[in-house]
Amino acid sequence: MLFKFRTAALAATLSLVASAALAGAGDFAFEPVNPEIKKGDDVTVAVRLTNKQTGKPVPDAVIFKTRVDMAPDGMAEMESPVSPLPSKEPGVYAFKTDLPMAGRYQMTLSAKVQGEPETVTGKVVVKATK
């Protein structure tokens, strides 16, 4: 009887460990550090990548695809160039871009997170003000 109990306990423990280790790409979220930014050229847009389960920032992600456009205001063809900037805080990723006019801009990101086999993607909307 004790052997069956130990086997069941071991199986339950392994099941919990396996489910915790198998976080999916949907367990991560990008959010703007500053949702409102003054319009202009060479503007810095910073986003935070967090783990939704823990609420903690995710450092050392590799952001390999970015796009900034005015899709939220119906002008997806108004795309701005994007360049990465050095990170000043773990889990915060900064980019230089142009926000030439007031309105809402959408930043689309794709990233690889250490230990996560799936690509993490997200969209962040910031508002450029005068």
Side-chain angles (χ1 to χ4, degrees):
M1 184 69 165
L2 184 60
F3 177 75
K4 287 183 183 180
F5 177 73
R6 284 185 184 163
T7 303
L10 178 61
T13 302
L14 290 175
S15 174
L16 286 173
V17 169
S19 66
L22 295 177
D27 292 331
F28 301 92
F30 287 101
E31 59 189 31
V33 173
N34 295 314
E36 287 193 13
I37 301 168
K38 189 172 180 180
K39 73 178 182 111
D41 294 337
D42 293 335
V43 173
T44 299
V45 176
V47 296
R48 181 176 291 109
L49 178 59
T50 57
N51 182 318
K52 290 180 186 178
Q53 293 179 342
T54 65
K56 294 183 180 180
V58 179
D60 303 323
V62 177
I63 310 241
F64 64 91
K65 187 175 179 184
T66 56
R67 176 184 164 98
V68 171
D69 60 44
M70 289 192 78
D73 284 347
M75 295 182 277
E77 69 280 355
M78 289 218 27
E79 184 178 353
S80 294
V82 183
S83 301
L85 294 171
S87 179
K88 295 180 181 179
E89 181 182 334
V92 174
Y93 303 89
F95 303 90
K96 180 176 69 170
T97 190
D98 297 335
L99 306 179
M101 58 189 287
R104 293 177 299 158
Y105 289 83
Q106 175 176 277
M107 177 175 266
T108 306
L109 305 117
S110 295
K112 285 294 188 182
V113 173
Q114 291 184 8
E116 175 56 49
E118 298 174 22
T119 297
V120 175
T121 59
K123 295 182 181 193
V124 174
V125 176
V126 295
K127 183 177 180 182
T129 59
K130 293 182 180 184

